[in-house]
Amino acid sequence: MSKTYNWAILGCGKIARKFATDLKLCPNARLYAAASRSLESAQSFASELGFEKAYGSYEEMVNDPEVDVVYIATPHSHHLEHALLCLNHQKAVLCEKAFAINSKEVGLMIEAARRNKTFLMEAFWTRFQPSFLKVLEIIHSGELGALKMVHSDFAFNAEYNPEKRLYNVDLGGGSLLDIGIYPIFMSLMALGKPSEIKTMARFCPTGAEESIMMSFSYPGGEIASLVSSFASYSSTQTEFSFENGFVRLNRRFYTPTSLTYWKNWEEEKVITFEKGAGFGYELEAAHVMECLDAGKTESDWMPLNFSSDLMEIMDWVRKDAGIVFPKHD
Ligand SMILES: NC(=O)c1ccc[n+]([C@@H]2O[C@H](COP(=O)([O-])OP(=O)(O)OC[C@H]3O[C@@H](n4cnc5c(N)ncnc54)[C@H](OP(=O)(O)O)[C@@H]3O)[C@@H](O)[C@H]2O)c1
C-alpha cells in the first residue's frame, strides 16, 4: 500500500497546469502546494487546480516540511538552480526536460541528488507511454531482425515572437532543447550513443536556433535522421527500420499514440492502445511514487546516467551546429 505523497509545483506555467491536471488521477498524490514567483499567480493556480497551499516564492515552499516531492516546471535555464534548491532541502524532484542547459549543469544536479540521498528524475513522460513500451519490446524481441535506422521528426509552427521563452537564448530557447530532445531521446533509447554527429541549423534574429537537422551514425553501422523545427508543422512520427520490417510511432509520437507495424511484405497492422484518462503525465508521476515507495533515489526506467547521456549528445549537437547560450556556456 503506497503512502500518500504531498506534491508541490515549482513554477505555475503552461506545462505545470497540464501536469497538475493529470496528478489528480493518481490516488496516492495529494495536490499540496503551488509555488510561483508571485503569490497572486500561485493562489490563482492553487484555487483553479485544487492545491491546498499557495506560496509566493519557491524558497518558502521548500521550507515547508510537509512537501514530499516537487515537480519543477520552469524554463530549462533555471532547472539547475531550482533542482539544487529542492534537493538541498531533501525534497524529491521530478524535473521537466530538458533536464538543464548543458552537461556541466546536469552533473551538478546529479551530484546534489547523490550528496543529499534524494530522489531525482527527468520528467521524460514519453518513456512511460504504452505505445513506446511496445516499441522497446519489439526492438528487444528481435522479431523484425536487427534495428538499422531511426527517423524521427518533431516540428510545429511556433509563431515568431522574440519575447517568447522558445526564442529567448537566455532561457535556453530554440527547438533543440525544447522539442529536438524527443527525436534524440528516441535514438538514444533505441540505438545508444552515436559515434558520429553531423548537423545543419537555421537561426532566428534573437540568435535562437529555429530548425535543426541531425544525422547520427553508430559503431554497428546503424544511422539516425532527426529533425526539429519551430518554423513549420511536421507529421511528428518516429519510424524504426529493421532488417525485416518497420514500426512507426504515429503522430504525435511523444504522446499516447498508435503504432504501425509492417513485417516481410505482410499487410500493415495498426496497434492501438486504450486512451488513458489524462494527457499521459500521470504515468510518470505514478512511477516517481513507486520509486519513493521502494526507497529509491533514482529510477531504473529513467536513470540519471541516461539523462546525462542525453545532454551529452545535445552538447555535441550544439557544438557542431554552433548553438550557444551565452549566459551558460
Ligand atoms: N513534458 C512536456 O510535455 C513539456 C511540454 C512543454 C514544456 N515542457 C518543459 O517545461 C518547462 C516549462 O515550459 P512551459 O512551456 O510550461 O513554460 P512557461 O509557460 O513559460 O512556464 C514557465 C514558468 O516558469 C516560471 N519561471 C521561473 N523563472 C522564470 C523566468 N526567468 N522566466 C520565465 N519563467 C520563469 C514561471 O512561473 P511562476 O511565474 O509561477 O514562478 C513560468 O510560468 C520547459 O523546460 C519545457 O521544456 C515540457
Side-chain angles (χ1 to χ4, degrees):
M1 177 77 178
S2 174
K3 84 165 220 181
T4 296
Y5 291 93
N6 288 339
W7 282 77
I9 304 290
L10 190 157
C12 299
K14 285 197 281 294
I15 193 59
R17 184 165 269 100
K18 287 174 91 173
F19 177 84
T21 305
D22 277 3
L23 197 53
K24 292 183 196 176
L25 300 168
C26 299
N28 51 341
R30 179 170 165 211
L31 278 65
Y32 179 69
S36 168
R37 292 167 301 172
S38 115
L39 182 58
E40 205 185 347
S41 150
Q43 282 169 337
S44 107
F45 187 94
S47 74
E48 179 193 331
L49 288 144
F51 284 81
E52 294 169 27
K53 294 207 163 170
Y55 286 111
S57 81
Y58 304 149
E59 289 73 16
E60 276 176 87
M61 180 274 288
V62 293
N63 280 301
D64 179 338
E66 297 298 315
V67 171
D68 296 311
V69 46
V70 180
Y71 168 68
I72 297 178
T74 51
H76 341 303
S77 49
H78 289 63
H79 290 174
L80 168 65
E81 177 190 335
H82 298 147
L84 295 188
L85 178 69
C86 297
L87 293 166
N88 289 336
H89 285 81
Q90 279 77 44
K91 304 298 185 195
V93 170
L94 173 64
C95 178
E96 260 310 334
K97 43 57 57 184
F99 214 20
I101 287 285
N102 55 35
S103 294
K104 190 173 160 215
E105 294 190 357
V106 168
L108 292 170
M109 286 161 64
I110 294 175
E111 191 270 322
R114 297 205 166 129
R115 183 169 24 87
N116 287 292
K117 298 184 176 52
T118 300
F119 183 85
L120 172 65
M121 187 182 98
E122 184 171 5
F124 226 110
W125 63 311
T126 306
R127 176 68 181 89
F128 303 94
Q129 304 308 324
S131 48
F132 179 66
L133 298 182
K134 183 69 186 170
V135 169
L136 290 182
E137 190 189 306
I138 293 167
I139 293 173
H140 294 135
S141 73
E143 65 193 79
L144 292 177
L147 176 64
K148 293 295 196 181
M149 183 165 68
V150 174
H151 178 84
S152 182
D153 68 275
F154 190 160
F156 66 92
N157 183 351
E159 192 191 335
Y160 180 66
N161 175 351
E163 305 302 317
K164 274 190 185 168
R165 173 179 75 76
L166 301 185
Y167 295 107
N168 184 339
V169 286
D170 292 342
L171 299 180
S175 83
L176 178 67
L177 266 59
D178 213 72
I179 54 176
I181 189 171
Y182 285 94
I184 297 176
F185 167 86
M186 287 286 153
S187 67
L188 181 58
M189 270 282 165
L191 290 169
K193 284 181 12 165
S195 48
E196 199 181 352
I197 290 183
K198 293 212 162 66
T199 67
M200 192 172 284
R202 301 298 258 174
F203 294 84
C204 331
T206 57
E209 161 275 311
E210 182 185 61
S211 305
I212 184 158
M213 299 184 76
M214 301 167 268
S215 301
F216 293 1
S217 72
Y218 297 83
E222 303 86 354
I223 53 174
S225 145
L226 316 171
V227 182
S228 64
S229 177
F230 288 150
S232 63
Y233 289 97
S234 77
S235 57
T236 311
Q237 304 188 114
T238 298
E239 193 162 285
F240 302 85
S241 305
F242 300 80
E243 290 168 314
N244 303 319
F246 68 81
V247 178
R248 189 172 62 240
L249 272 169
N250 293 318
R251 173 175 174 76
R252 295 169 284 162
F253 74 84
Y254 56 91
T255 57
T257 183
S258 65
L259 276 183
T260 299
Y261 180 99
W262 184 90
K263 184 181 182 184
N264 283 337
W265 304 99
E266 291 165 11
E267 283 289 299
E268 264 183 25
K269 277 195 301 199
V270 176
I271 307 172
T272 54
F273 299 85
E274 207 173 311
K275 169 102 183 65
F279 297 108
Y281 298 104
E282 70 282 10
L283 301 174
E284 62 180 356
H287 177 76
V288 169
M289 292 184 282
E290 275 165 28
C291 291
L292 296 176
D293 281 343
K296 293 182 178 173
T297 52
E298 187 172 342
S299 158
D300 298 330
W301 284 37
M302 193 61 209
L304 295 169
N305 67 0
F306 182 89
S307 293
S308 178
D309 289 348
L310 188 56
M311 188 55 76
E312 224 176 82
I313 296 172
M314 292 202 291
D315 283 355
W316 188 355
V317 165
R318 283 179 49 207
K319 194 162 179 226
D320 190 78
I323 299 170
V324 182
F325 300 121
K327 287 203 172 155
H328 294 257
D329 292 331

